[in-house]
Amino acid sequence: MHSTLLDEINQNGYIVLEDFLTAEEVDELYKAGRALCMDAPQANRKVFDTSNHEDAQSKETYFLESGDKVRYFFENGSVGDKGELLVDPMVALNKVGHALHVENPVFNKISFCNRVKEICWQLNFNRPAICQSMYIYKNPKVGGEVIPHQDSWYLHTEPNSAIGFWFALEDCTLQNGCLQFIKGSHKSGVHRRYIRNPDKNSQDLMIYDRAAPIYPHSSFTPIQCSKGTCIVIHGNVVHKSDSNRSPKSRHAYTFHVIETENNVKYSEDNWLQPPKDKPFPVLFERKN
């Protein structure tokens, strides 16, 4: 068993683990995600959109300072000019992040469960820590696309160590925006970085250091999967999800793990920085 997960992620850049969550766990996470819809702020609603470069997260501390908090990001088109909600609250959110794994007991329980630790162990982590988590809604008809990217653009370590855990809480199809990967693309290094802007006079708090790479549509392999599936994602594998054109939502819970030992350095120019008094929570420490 030990070599197989490592072999698979080294070869493809991702691993698909069906029936990773029990039906009860899926239900519990899904209900917790629905509950977040009702907790969302009534004022100062922020929109999240990866396809729009003029988006708020590059300019707003609300996003930048969300690493140790639970913050709410709305779908494009769900909020009016005066901040009023244009849709049902249950389909208004794009995502909630980025500290659900710490602040919410339901997400905490899954994030730190033994099955997750076992995967990190088999992937040869020595002292893995969870750096951020998100609940993603991908609402029917309006769930926005997520542009092709590598997670290492956002969660860069030297050397690269980021791994994503992505849990399907509903069946994922081509129609509702399942994940799609370019197999083996993790072997080609990090293609760009999303960094804190060194220009302190700029309105943009965050910038990309290079133009977006062009990835051929035909290179992507869609992963249609049933709810309860866990997809383990190498930090350098190129992946995306198309917008949801179907009448069915595609809820998912995801978090990212990085190595914190063996001289692995978490980049100081990443958007997400842990507060001095709140380091990233550690899953385990491997004793030699």
Side-chain angles (χ1 to χ4, degrees), residues 41-251:
Q42 306 300 306
N44 201 15
R45 298 181 172 109
K46 305 293 182 189
V47 170
F48 183 81
D49 180 5
T50 70
S51 59
N52 176 8
H53 296 297
E54 295 305 309
D55 52 14
Q57 72 255 27
S58 294
K59 298 181 169 61
E60 302 235 7
T61 54
Y62 185 83
F63 179 81
L64 273 190
E65 293 171 0
S66 62
D68 63 332
K69 301 175 185 72
V70 174
R71 289 194 160 167
Y72 301 81
F73 302 92
F74 288 82
E75 288 284 12
N76 206 352
S78 69
V79 178
D81 293 341
K82 299 185 179 67
E84 73 280 19
L85 214 48
L86 303 176
V87 297
D88 184 309
M90 282 305 185
V91 294
L93 288 173
N94 172 293
K95 68 174 194 176
V96 177
H98 290 93
L100 290 167
H101 59 294
V102 176
E103 299 294 327
N104 183 300
V106 177
F107 298 108
N108 175 275
K109 190 168 74 175
I110 287 295
S111 308
F112 290 88
C113 75
N114 285 336
R115 280 161 288 164
V116 166
K117 292 176 183 174
E118 176 64 22
I119 288 171
C120 291
W121 185 272
Q122 292 188 30
L123 296 180
N124 286 342
F125 278 92
N126 282 308
R127 192 173 178 272
I130 300 180
C131 52
Q132 64 111 350
S133 53
M134 294 180 285
Y135 193 96
I136 300 167
Y137 290 89
K138 202 71 138 169
N139 286 307
K141 303 286 189 191
V142 295
E145 71 166 322
V146 175
I147 60 165
H149 67 283
Q150 300 166 299
D151 292 337
S152 293
W153 293 3
Y154 309 101
L155 300 168
H156 195 265
T157 66
E158 197 63 58
N160 293 318
S161 71
I163 293 284
F165 284 78
W166 191 95
F167 302 96
L169 304 180
E170 296 184 284
D171 294 344
C172 303
T173 63
L174 277 172
Q175 290 70 36
N176 72 1
C178 66
L179 290 185
Q180 303 192 37
F181 292 89
I182 301 183
K183 254 183 199 173
S185 54
H186 62 297
K187 298 172 186 173
S188 57
V190 179
H191 303 161
R192 76 199 295 218
R193 294 275 316 282
Y194 185 62
I195 56 172
R196 291 181 173 241
N197 193 348
D199 178 1
K200 296 302 172 220
N201 298 320
S202 169
Q203 269 194 311
D204 293 317
L205 302 173
M206 302 297 304
I207 54 167
Y208 285 106
D209 65 348
R210 275 162 279 182
I214 306 296
Y215 301 111
H217 184 67
S218 57
S219 307
F220 286 90
T221 302
I223 306 295
Q224 303 194 69
C225 63
S226 52
K227 61 184 178 184
T229 299
C230 171
I231 303 180
V232 184
I233 303 170
H234 191 291
N236 289 6
V237 75
V238 177
H239 58 291
K240 67 170 185 174
S241 64
D242 293 339
S243 48
N244 185 353
R245 298 280 173 238
S246 82
K248 292 192 167 76
S249 57
R250 195 225 67 188
H251 286 211

